[in-house]
Amino acid sequence: MSSHKVLRGVTRLLCALIDYLILMLPVQFVLLFWIKTNALSADFLFRLLFAVYGVLMIEYNNGATLGKMIGRLKVVDRAGGKPTVLYTGLRELIRAMYLIPIVGWAAGLVSTVMLFVKGTTLHDMAGNSRVIFRWEDKPDPEQEKKA
């Protein structure tokens, strides 16, 4: 396993945790204590909002959620362009599925192992996407001089 894969994997996990906390804390607080929904409804709504948040941020924020912005990552399609909304939606729904107890956690564990072994996840595969560091998106000046 290369150090680049490990760095990318750890960075992606930390960025996902940041996204989760940024959204989970205020949403759960509002749903449970202000609107006074039950815990099961609040959990379902949070998962749905987590997927919507991911789609909107990737679509309208140059391929990055707030966590990915902090980690200097972005989501692109397999060719390196902007992913379509349909694939982004599928990607984010599967990512939100990881929050479902037992089955989702098992899928999340499989996805995490795949991240460190293959460099991709289940939601990347379903969404026909990949996650890159922002500097990988920029043309390399050295390569341009050689061409």
Side-chain angles (χ1 to χ4, degrees):
M1 190 177 337
S2 72
S3 61
H4 186 71
K5 272 188 188 176
V6 172
L7 174 64
R8 185 184 309 268
V10 169
T11 304
R12 285 186 68 179
L13 289 174
L14 290 174
C15 292
L17 179 65
I18 290 168
D19 284 331
Y20 178 78
L21 292 175
I22 284 173
L23 197 61
M24 190 266 303
L25 295 174
V27 167
Q28 294 288 17
F29 179 79
V30 167
L31 289 173
L32 291 172
F33 301 110
W34 193 36
I35 299 176
K36 299 197 186 297
T37 61
N38 64 42
L40 191 60
S41 296
D43 188 48
F44 174 76
L45 287 170
F46 168 69
R47 274 184 259 160
L48 183 62
L49 286 172
F50 191 63
V52 170
Y53 159 79
V55 172
L56 292 176
M57 291 299 287
I58 289 169
E59 179 66 20
Y60 296 109
N61 195 32
N62 196 25
T65 61
L66 294 174
K68 284 182 180 61
M69 287 173 59
I70 292 168
R72 304 200 27 88
L73 298 172
K74 81 184 271 187
V75 178
V76 295
D77 66 9
R78 288 279 170 205
K82 182 179 178 183
T84 64
V85 176
L86 179 65
Y87 279 121
T88 302
L90 181 60
R91 178 186 195 278
E92 294 303 311
L93 281 174
I94 290 174
R95 207 175 85 142
M97 176 195 75
Y98 300 154
L99 302 175
I100 298 171
I102 302 170
V103 173
W105 297 341
L109 181 61
V110 168
S111 200
T112 301
V113 170
M114 286 176 60
L115 176 62
F116 286 102
V117 173
K118 295 180 68 176
T120 190
T121 61
L122 293 173
H123 57 277
D124 287 334
M125 291 168 58
N128 194 32
S129 63
R130 58 193 176 99
V131 176
I132 61 171
F133 286 108
R134 288 207 177 260
W135 60 81
E136 294 173 330
D137 192 28
K138 307 271 188 292
D140 185 8
E142 293 299 317
Q143 290 291 350
E144 289 180 4
K145 288 179 187 175
K146 292 178 185 176

Short mmCIF file of all heavy atoms in Angstrom, two decimals, residues 68-98:
data_model
loop_
_atom_site.label_atom_id
_atom_site.label_comp_id
_atom_site.label_asym_id
_atom_site.label_seq_id
_atom_site.Cartn_x
_atom_site.Cartn_y
_atom_site.Cartn_z
N LYS A 68 -14.43 18.47 2.44
CA LYS A 68 -13.47 18.30 1.33
C LYS A 68 -12.72 19.60 1.05
O LYS A 68 -11.56 19.58 0.67
CB LYS A 68 -14.18 17.79 0.08
CG LYS A 68 -14.51 16.32 0.15
CD LYS A 68 -15.17 15.85 -1.14
CE LYS A 68 -15.50 14.40 -1.09
NZ LYS A 68 -16.44 14.02 -0.02
N MET A 69 -13.38 20.74 1.23
CA MET A 69 -12.69 22.01 1.05
C MET A 69 -11.55 22.14 2.06
O MET A 69 -10.45 22.57 1.70
CB MET A 69 -13.66 23.18 1.21
CG MET A 69 -14.61 23.34 0.06
SD MET A 69 -15.87 24.59 0.37
CE MET A 69 -14.89 26.05 0.64
N ILE A 70 -11.81 21.76 3.30
CA ILE A 70 -10.78 21.84 4.34
C ILE A 70 -9.63 20.89 4.00
O ILE A 70 -8.46 21.23 4.18
CB ILE A 70 -11.39 21.52 5.72
CG1 ILE A 70 -12.35 22.64 6.13
CG2 ILE A 70 -10.31 21.30 6.77
CD1 ILE A 70 -13.23 22.33 7.32
N GLY A 71 -9.95 19.70 3.50
CA GLY A 71 -8.92 18.72 3.15
C GLY A 71 -8.33 18.91 1.76
O GLY A 71 -7.50 18.13 1.33
N ARG A 72 -8.79 19.96 1.06
CA ARG A 72 -8.32 20.27 -0.30
C ARG A 72 -8.57 19.11 -1.27
O ARG A 72 -7.72 18.76 -2.08
CB ARG A 72 -6.87 20.71 -0.29
CG ARG A 72 -6.65 21.89 0.65
CD ARG A 72 -5.44 22.73 0.47
NE ARG A 72 -4.81 22.85 -0.80
CZ ARG A 72 -5.11 23.76 -1.75
NH1 ARG A 72 -6.09 24.58 -1.57
NH2 ARG A 72 -4.43 23.82 -2.88
N LEU A 73 -9.77 18.53 -1.15
CA LEU A 73 -10.19 17.44 -2.03
C LEU A 73 -11.35 17.91 -2.89
O LEU A 73 -11.99 18.92 -2.59
CB LEU A 73 -10.66 16.24 -1.21
CG LEU A 73 -9.65 15.57 -0.29
CD1 LEU A 73 -10.35 14.53 0.58
CD2 LEU A 73 -8.54 14.93 -1.09
N LYS A 74 -11.62 17.18 -3.97
CA LYS A 74 -12.80 17.45 -4.77
C LYS A 74 -13.23 16.18 -5.47
O LYS A 74 -12.42 15.29 -5.72
CB LYS A 74 -12.57 18.60 -5.75
CG LYS A 74 -11.84 18.25 -7.01
CD LYS A 74 -11.56 19.44 -7.88
CE LYS A 74 -12.68 19.72 -8.84
NZ LYS A 74 -12.38 20.78 -9.81
N VAL A 75 -14.51 16.10 -5.78
CA VAL A 75 -15.09 14.96 -6.48
C VAL A 75 -15.13 15.28 -7.97
O VAL A 75 -15.60 16.35 -8.36
CB VAL A 75 -16.52 14.66 -5.97
CG1 VAL A 75 -17.14 13.51 -6.74
CG2 VAL A 75 -16.51 14.36 -4.48
N VAL A 76 -14.63 14.35 -8.77
CA VAL A 76 -14.68 14.47 -10.23
C VAL A 76 -15.21 13.16 -10.79
O VAL A 76 -15.22 12.14 -10.09
CB VAL A 76 -13.30 14.80 -10.84
CG1 VAL A 76 -12.81 16.16 -10.38
CG2 VAL A 76 -12.28 13.73 -10.50
N ASP A 77 -15.64 13.17 -12.05
CA ASP A 77 -16.03 11.91 -12.66
C ASP A 77 -14.77 11.15 -13.06
O ASP A 77 -13.66 11.63 -12.89
CB ASP A 77 -17.00 12.12 -13.83
CG ASP A 77 -16.39 12.85 -15.02
OD1 ASP A 77 -15.16 13.07 -15.05
OD2 ASP A 77 -17.14 13.22 -15.93
N ARG A 78 -14.95 9.95 -13.58
CA ARG A 78 -13.78 9.10 -13.90
C ARG A 78 -12.85 9.75 -14.91
O ARG A 78 -11.66 9.52 -14.90
CB ARG A 78 -14.25 7.75 -14.43
CG ARG A 78 -14.84 6.87 -13.38
CD ARG A 78 -13.73 6.22 -12.61
NE ARG A 78 -14.30 5.56 -11.45
CZ ARG A 78 -13.62 5.31 -10.37
NH1 ARG A 78 -12.37 5.66 -10.28
NH2 ARG A 78 -14.19 4.72 -9.36
N ALA A 79 -13.39 10.61 -15.78
CA ALA A 79 -12.56 11.27 -16.79
C ALA A 79 -11.90 12.54 -16.25
O ALA A 79 -11.09 13.15 -16.94
CB ALA A 79 -13.41 11.61 -18.01
N GLY A 80 -12.26 12.94 -15.04
CA GLY A 80 -11.66 14.13 -14.44
C GLY A 80 -12.51 15.38 -14.57
O GLY A 80 -12.11 16.45 -14.14
N GLY A 81 -13.71 15.25 -15.17
CA GLY A 81 -14.61 16.40 -15.32
C GLY A 81 -15.61 16.48 -14.19
O GLY A 81 -15.53 15.77 -13.19
N LYS A 82 -16.56 17.37 -14.37
CA LYS A 82 -17.62 17.56 -13.37
C LYS A 82 -18.58 16.37 -13.45
O LYS A 82 -19.08 16.05 -14.52
CB LYS A 82 -18.36 18.86 -13.63
CG LYS A 82 -19.42 19.17 -12.63
CD LYS A 82 -20.10 20.49 -12.94
CE LYS A 82 -21.21 20.72 -11.92
NZ LYS A 82 -21.94 21.93 -12.21
N PRO A 83 -18.86 15.73 -12.31
CA PRO A 83 -19.81 14.60 -12.34
C PRO A 83 -21.24 15.08 -12.58
O PRO A 83 -21.59 16.20 -12.21
CB PRO A 83 -19.67 13.96 -10.95
CG PRO A 83 -19.07 15.00 -10.08
CD PRO A 83 -18.32 15.95 -10.97
N THR A 84 -22.05 14.23 -13.22
CA THR A 84 -23.44 14.59 -13.46
C THR A 84 -24.22 14.54 -12.16
O THR A 84 -23.84 13.83 -11.22
CB THR A 84 -24.10 13.64 -14.48
OG1 THR A 84 -24.13 12.33 -13.91
CG2 THR A 84 -23.34 13.63 -15.80
N VAL A 85 -25.32 15.28 -12.11
CA VAL A 85 -26.13 15.34 -10.90
C VAL A 85 -26.71 13.96 -10.57
O VAL A 85 -26.78 13.58 -9.40
CB VAL A 85 -27.27 16.38 -11.05
CG1 VAL A 85 -28.19 16.37 -9.86
CG2 VAL A 85 -26.70 17.75 -11.27
N LEU A 86 -27.11 13.20 -11.58
CA LEU A 86 -27.67 11.88 -11.36
C LEU A 86 -26.67 10.97 -10.66
O LEU A 86 -27.00 10.33 -9.65
CB LEU A 86 -28.11 11.25 -12.69
CG LEU A 86 -28.70 9.85 -12.59
CD1 LEU A 86 -30.00 9.88 -11.81
CD2 LEU A 86 -28.92 9.28 -13.98
N TYR A 87 -25.45 10.93 -11.15
CA TYR A 87 -24.43 10.09 -10.52
C TYR A 87 -24.04 10.63 -9.15
O TYR A 87 -23.77 9.87 -8.23
CB TYR A 87 -23.20 9.96 -11.41
CG TYR A 87 -23.36 8.92 -12.49
CD1 TYR A 87 -23.24 9.25 -13.83
CD2 TYR A 87 -23.61 7.59 -12.16
CE1 TYR A 87 -23.38 8.29 -14.81
CE2 TYR A 87 -23.76 6.62 -13.13
CZ TYR A 87 -23.64 6.97 -14.45
OH TYR A 87 -23.78 6.02 -15.42
N THR A 88 -24.01 11.94 -9.01
CA THR A 88 -23.70 12.52 -7.71
C THR A 88 -24.78 12.17 -6.69
O THR A 88 -24.48 11.83 -5.55
CB THR A 88 -23.55 14.06 -7.82
OG1 THR A 88 -22.53 14.36 -8.76
CG2 THR A 88 -23.21 14.67 -6.48
N GLY A 89 -26.03 12.22 -7.10
CA GLY A 89 -27.13 11.84 -6.22
C GLY A 89 -27.04 10.38 -5.79
O GLY A 89 -27.19 10.06 -4.61
N LEU A 90 -26.75 9.50 -6.73
CA LEU A 90 -26.58 8.09 -6.40
C LEU A 90 -25.41 7.89 -5.45
O LEU A 90 -25.50 7.16 -4.47
CB LEU A 90 -26.37 7.28 -7.69
CG LEU A 90 -26.20 5.78 -7.54
CD1 LEU A 90 -27.42 5.16 -6.88
CD2 LEU A 90 -25.94 5.15 -8.90
N ARG A 91 -24.32 8.58 -5.72
CA ARG A 91 -23.13 8.50 -4.88
C ARG A 91 -23.45 8.93 -3.44
O ARG A 91 -23.09 8.25 -2.48
CB ARG A 91 -22.04 9.41 -5.46
CG ARG A 91 -20.78 9.49 -4.67
CD ARG A 91 -19.85 10.55 -5.29
NE ARG A 91 -18.51 10.41 -4.78
CZ ARG A 91 -18.11 10.90 -3.61
NH1 ARG A 91 -18.94 11.58 -2.86
NH2 ARG A 91 -16.87 10.72 -3.21
N GLU A 92 -24.14 10.04 -3.30
CA GLU A 92 -24.43 10.57 -1.97
C GLU A 92 -25.49 9.75 -1.22
O GLU A 92 -25.44 9.64 0.00
CB GLU A 92 -24.82 12.04 -2.05
CG GLU A 92 -23.69 12.94 -2.52
CD GLU A 92 -22.45 12.85 -1.65
OE1 GLU A 92 -22.57 12.94 -0.41
OE2 GLU A 92 -21.35 12.68 -2.20
N LEU A 93 -26.44 9.17 -1.94
CA LEU A 93 -27.41 8.28 -1.28
C LEU A 93 -26.73 7.04 -0.71
O LEU A 93 -27.04 6.61 0.40
CB LEU A 93 -28.52 7.88 -2.25
CG LEU A 93 -29.61 8.91 -2.48
CD1 LEU A 93 -30.56 8.45 -3.58
CD2 LEU A 93 -30.37 9.19 -1.20
N ILE A 94 -25.79 6.49 -1.46
CA ILE A 94 -25.06 5.33 -0.95
C ILE A 94 -24.19 5.73 0.23
O ILE A 94 -24.09 5.01 1.22
CB ILE A 94 -24.26 4.66 -2.08
CG1 ILE A 94 -25.24 4.00 -3.04
CG2 ILE A 94 -23.25 3.65 -1.53
CD1 ILE A 94 -24.65 3.43 -4.27
N ARG A 95 -23.59 6.89 0.16
CA ARG A 95 -22.78 7.38 1.28
C ARG A 95 -23.63 7.58 2.53
O ARG A 95 -23.22 7.24 3.64
CB ARG A 95 -22.10 8.69 0.89
CG ARG A 95 -20.83 8.95 1.63
CD ARG A 95 -20.20 10.19 1.10
NE ARG A 95 -20.80 11.31 1.79
CZ ARG A 95 -20.15 12.38 2.17
NH1 ARG A 95 -18.89 12.52 1.88
NH2 ARG A 95 -20.74 13.34 2.81
N ALA A 96 -24.85 8.08 2.36
CA ALA A 96 -25.76 8.25 3.49
C ALA A 96 -26.22 6.90 4.04
O ALA A 96 -26.52 6.78 5.22
CB ALA A 96 -26.96 9.09 3.08
N MET A 97 -26.22 5.89 3.17
CA MET A 97 -26.61 4.54 3.60
C MET A 97 -25.65 4.00 4.67
O MET A 97 -26.05 3.22 5.52
CB MET A 97 -26.61 3.60 2.40
CG MET A 97 -26.91 2.15 2.73
SD MET A 97 -26.48 1.04 1.38
CE MET A 97 -24.70 1.01 1.50
N TYR A 98 -24.42 4.45 4.67
CA TYR A 98 -23.44 3.99 5.65
C TYR A 98 -23.86 4.33 7.09
O TYR A 98 -23.33 3.78 8.04
CB TYR A 98 -22.05 4.59 5.41
CG TYR A 98 -21.43 4.28 4.08
CD1 TYR A 98 -20.51 5.14 3.52
CD2 TYR A 98 -21.75 3.13 3.36
CE1 TYR A 98 -19.91 4.87 2.30
CE2 TYR A 98 -21.16 2.86 2.14
CZ TYR A 98 -20.25 3.73 1.61
OH TYR A 98 -19.67 3.47 0.40
#
